[in-house]
């Protein structure tokens, strides 16, 4: 950029290393276009409300994107919506509605969940049903190149024609589907390992016209075609949960690289699964929660967001209610420090150590994230800063105008975390505890006392006390004031 063009220059991107599933090693990011990154993340299959496992993966991707931005990159993010597949078709048929009518409420609920959890929206959310021509075009190219064939109205990818098959997952061709029972409708395949690109229409199913007759796309081709449409044939980063690794991502590579003759993706990232109370989530165990169910049980969006991002993405996340509450308590320590700071008088002399201390924090926080999103180290840096600042406030060494620089450093960290400058409901909030918030907590306490839930009433009193609010129960109701010390 020329000097004097007006816009503030972006900081030079930091060196970022990520664990590439392709090759299984930490690698520096080398963007195709300097300073910019193109990111594709596999989105939800909209046949149901998302569960918190799905949300863990989407929040990992949010953390990734926000971290890359903090570290100086522009990010172009595409997330697809799988709105046609076996499950959506079955659901629509069972309810006797069209595919679009069936998926609409789940799409809406997905976006509402992202919004509640403060997820930064993708630039584009392409829907599979709106990109059928691109998929047909890509399948046509695969047939022309001899790696796909038509059999009985369906189109198959010929795995044996792809020498590279297995390079992401490490699976050997002879292991693929070996011993697996071959379903009736797959008899026409040349080889049981071949996977479907286009499924010939069955009676009563939604179908689109194609050169091979009416039908619908297979799941894998959706992502290959939509990523090429919005990010080009080669792009920087592709993410999903570990269950996407095989066969979905392996098949995406096979399709995309066979169609374009070029490398598909530079870096593949996979998030480990979320488990609940040490067990796999499943309907039969009754431990498969949606965001709505957690909110009904009294957890706040900010506490849930924090719990879902606070464990490194390559580790399993064991979700427990106590764990979420412990995270919320840790966040309140930051609130309390900010509240004290907002009410601390200016020190007699300006602090000489504050600026370097904040610099150290900013550097450590960014360096942790640049190291394969080391969230534990980033949070440790934050809580250490809060501890140090509490000591300084207590000693009367910071206060007054110092608040501005401290809040700026916290805001920068929160551009990644998204949990500090929001209230319990996940809405944008300024610093400290304001009057409306105190009144809201008081109202909850009155309600708790009416229920004779004195444990909850005491807990709310303690919460207010921690924020420097003193309560006085009088015959005419509860009064509150800010502690003056
Ligand atoms: P789906 O809607 O099934 O296509 O899944 C959406 C995303 O959630 C995918 O990236 C999956 O890999 C991911 N996912 C599914 N189950 C879990 C889980 N238990 N924990 C974390 N991510 C999951
Ligand atoms: Zn995908």
């Amino acid at each position: 950029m020329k000097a004097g063009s007006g816009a503030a220059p972006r900081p030079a991107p930091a060196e970022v290393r990520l664990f590439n599933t392709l090759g299984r090693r930490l690698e520096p990011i080398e963007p195709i276009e300097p300073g910019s990154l193109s990111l594709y993340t596999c989105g939800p299959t909209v046949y149901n409300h998302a569960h918190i496992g799905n949300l863990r993966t989407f929040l990992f991707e949010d953390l990734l994107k926000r971290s890359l931005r903090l570290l100086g990159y522009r990010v172009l993010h595409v997330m697809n919506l799988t709105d046609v597949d076996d499950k959506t078709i079955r659901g629509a048929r069972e309810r006797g509605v069209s595919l679009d009518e069936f998926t609409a409420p789940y799409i809406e609920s997905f976006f509402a969940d992202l919004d509640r959890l403060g997820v930064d929206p993708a630039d584009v959310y392409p829907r599979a049903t709106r990109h059928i021509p691109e998929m047909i075009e890509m399948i046509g190219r695969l047939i022309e190149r001899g790696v796909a064939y038509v059999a009985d109205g369906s189109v198959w990818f010929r795995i044996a024609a792809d020498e590279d098959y297995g390079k992401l997952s490490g699976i050997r061709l002879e292991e693929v589907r070996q011993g697996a029972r071959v379903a009736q409708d797959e008899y026409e395949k040349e080889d049981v390992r071949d996977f479907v690109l286009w499924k010939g229409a069955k009676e009563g199913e939604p179908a689109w016209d194609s050169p091979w007759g009416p039908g619908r796309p297979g799941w894998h081709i959706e992502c290959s075609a939509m990523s090429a449409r919005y990010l080009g044939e080669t792009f920087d980063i592709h993410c999903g949960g570990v269950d996407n690794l095989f066969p979905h991502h392996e098949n995406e590579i096979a399709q995309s690289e066979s169609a374009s003759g070029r490398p598909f993706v530079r870096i593949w990232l996979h998030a480990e699964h979320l488990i609940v109370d040490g067990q796999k989530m499943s309907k039969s165990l009754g431990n498969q929660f949606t965001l709505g169910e957690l909110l009904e049980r009294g957890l706040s969006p900010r506490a849930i967001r924090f719990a879902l991002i606070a464990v490194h993405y390559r580790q399993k996340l064991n979700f427990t209610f106590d764990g979420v509450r412990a995270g919320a308590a840790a966040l309140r320590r930051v609130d309390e420090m900010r509240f004290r700071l907002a009410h601390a008088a200016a020190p007699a002399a300006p602090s000489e150590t504050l600026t370097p201390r904040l610099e150290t924090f900013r550097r450590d926080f960014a360096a942790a994230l640049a190291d394969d999103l080391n969230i534990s180290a980033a949070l440790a840096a934050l809580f250490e800063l809060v501890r140090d600042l509490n000591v300084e406030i207590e000693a009367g060494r910071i206060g007054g105008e110092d608040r501005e620089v401290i809040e700026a450093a916290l805001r920068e960290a929160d551009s990644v975390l998204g949990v500090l400058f929001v209230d319990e409901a996940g809405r944008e909030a300024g610093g400290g505890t304001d009057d409306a918030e105190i009144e809201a907590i008081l109202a909850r306490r009155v309600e708790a006392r009416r229920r004779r839930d004195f444990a909850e009433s005491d807990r709310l009193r303690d919460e207010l006390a921690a924020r420097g609010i003193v309560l006085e129960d009088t015959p005419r109701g509860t009064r509150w004031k800010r502690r003056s010390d």
Side-chain angles (χ1 to χ4, degrees):
M1 191 190 296
K2 279 197 195 114
S5 66
R10 290 179 78 84
E15 162 122 338
V16 181
R17 295 190 319 155
L18 294 170
F19 188 84
N20 193 352
T21 310
L22 184 61
R24 300 248 181 332
R25 57 163 190 257
L26 280 170
E27 270 181 38
I29 294 185
E30 282 161 11
I32 296 166
E33 206 182 294
S36 290
L37 290 165
S38 38
L39 169 69
Y40 186 89
T41 58
C42 288
T45 308
V46 283
Y47 75 107
N48 214 334
H49 297 287
H51 58 59
I52 52 172
N54 304 135
L55 295 174
R56 192 241 174 147
T57 292
F58 301 141
L59 279 170
F60 143 65
E61 292 156 352
D62 189 49
L63 189 75
L64 170 71
K65 185 167 73 173
R66 287 163 171 258
S67 300
L68 293 171
R69 287 192 175 137
L70 176 80
L71 296 165
Y73 290 96
R74 275 186 302 272
V75 182
L76 177 61
H77 177 203
V78 177
M79 175 181 271
N80 70 296
L81 301 179
T82 298
D83 61 352
V84 53
D85 79 325
D86 292 345
K87 293 179 218 157
T88 44
I89 289 174
R90 195 182 320 124
R93 183 191 283 172
E94 278 167 15
R95 249 178 246 167
V97 294
S98 71
L99 201 52
D100 270 4
E101 281 171 308
F102 175 72
T103 57
Y106 299 119
I107 293 176
E108 200 176 310
S109 116
F110 168 68
F111 286 127
D113 284 356
L114 296 192
D115 190 48
R116 296 300 300 260
L117 293 173
V119 171
D120 212 8
D123 297 280
V124 198
Y125 288 101
R127 294 175 58 164
T129 52
R130 310 299 194 259
H131 294 80
I132 306 286
E134 288 92 329
M135 298 172 204
I136 290 177
E137 193 275 332
M138 188 176 266
I139 296 170
R141 236 174 329 140
L142 291 170
I143 296 174
E144 266 169 39
R145 294 188 166 217
V147 289
Y149 58 91
V150 186
D152 203 22
S154 292
V155 185
W156 302 92
F157 186 92
R158 183 178 284 129
I159 275 192
D162 182 3
E163 284 174 4
D164 278 348
Y165 194 85
K167 70 178 174 185
L168 181 69
S169 59
I171 199 152
R172 294 204 315 273
L173 261 190
E174 49 276 25
E175 289 169 9
V176 179
R177 293 285 223 106
Q178 215 173 42
R181 240 189 79 228
V182 186
Q184 277 297 314
D185 61 344
E186 294 179 359
Y187 273 150
E188 299 306 323
K189 289 197 277 187
E190 284 176 2
D191 184 327
V192 292
R193 301 169 305 189
D194 293 347
F195 63 88
V196 74
L197 299 169
W198 185 261
K199 290 190 175 187
K202 290 204 196 111
E203 185 62 31
E205 284 189 354
W208 288 262
D209 283 334
S210 83
W212 320 287
R216 61 183 167 99
W219 174 36
H220 317 302
I221 198 74
E222 296 181 4
C223 287
S224 282
M226 291 191 281
S227 61
R229 159 78 194 272
Y230 293 99
L231 299 175
E233 289 174 335
T234 301
F235 59 92
D236 293 297
I237 305 177
H238 194 315
C239 308
V242 280
D243 57 307
N244 286 157
L245 208 166
F246 185 85
H248 185 48
H249 290 161
E250 193 73 66
N251 291 353
E252 280 187 42
I253 296 178
Q255 297 162 154
S256 296
E257 299 196 346
S258 301
S260 73
R262 299 197 188 143
F264 177 38
V265 168
R266 293 203 164 178
I267 296 194
W268 287 89
L269 303 178
H270 290 96
E272 252 300 345
H273 272 178
L274 174 145
I275 51 177
V276 177
D277 287 324
Q279 289 176 297
K280 193 175 180 322
M281 268 191 305
S282 79
K283 287 235 165 65
S284 59
L285 288 173
N287 65 358
Q288 198 178 72
F289 297 111
T290 62
L291 178 61
E293 285 161 351
L294 293 186
L295 297 176
E296 271 169 31
R297 286 180 170 226
L299 298 183
S300 71
R302 106 160 167 158
I304 298 168
R305 176 179 169 96
F306 186 61
L308 295 183
I309 62 172
V311 173
H312 189 258
Y313 74 97
R314 285 194 286 121
Q315 284 172 6
K316 282 201 173 61
L317 189 159
N318 186 22
F319 184 93
T320 65
F321 283 79
D322 283 347
V324 180
R325 289 190 200 103
L331 287 179
R332 277 203 292 277
R333 290 214 304 277
V334 188
D335 297 343
E336 286 152 22
M337 184 280 290
R338 289 174 60 205
F339 180 77
R340 276 185 218 120
L341 183 64
H343 297 88
S351 161
E352 282 178 13
T353 52
L354 181 62
T355 308
R357 180 65 189 87
L358 292 175
E359 265 318 302
T360 305
F361 164 65
R362 295 175 66 190
R363 201 193 49 225
D364 291 350
F365 187 82
L369 294 171
D371 179 20
D372 194 33
L373 299 187
N374 188 342
I375 186 70
S376 319
L379 291 174
L382 171 68
F383 291 121
E384 213 172 288
L385 174 73
V386 168
R387 217 176 43 220
D388 289 353
L389 292 175
N390 272 328
V391 172
E392 296 299 288
I393 295 168
E394 207 67 30
R397 284 193 293 265
I398 56 173
E401 288 174 6
D402 294 331
R403 182 176 177 213
E404 223 169 280
V405 280
I406 294 169
E407 292 279 283
L410 293 177
R411 260 192 200 281
E412 184 179 285
D414 206 38
S415 71
V416 174
L417 302 175
V419 290
L420 304 181
F421 290 78
V422 293
D423 62 18
E424 291 294 331
R427 284 185 297 268
E428 179 85 15
T433 310
D434 65 21
D435 290 6
E437 208 179 327
I438 295 167
E439 296 290 354
I441 298 175
L442 269 184
R444 273 162 55 204
R445 185 166 172 269
V446 169
E447 182 51 37
R449 287 165 75 88
R450 212 171 31 225
R451 289 197 312 268
R452 307 190 67 75
D453 184 351
F454 296 113
E456 173 68 359
S457 157
D458 287 350
R459 197 191 65 72
L460 291 168
R461 171 191 278 270
D462 292 347
E463 183 176 330
L464 287 169
R467 296 182 189 205
I469 305 298
V470 187
L471 297 188
E472 214 183 320
D473 288 318
T474 75
R476 296 173 59 208
T478 303
R479 297 218 188 108
W480 64 270
K481 61 176 190 204
R482 291 202 155 87
R483 209 168 46 212
S484 52
D485 62 348

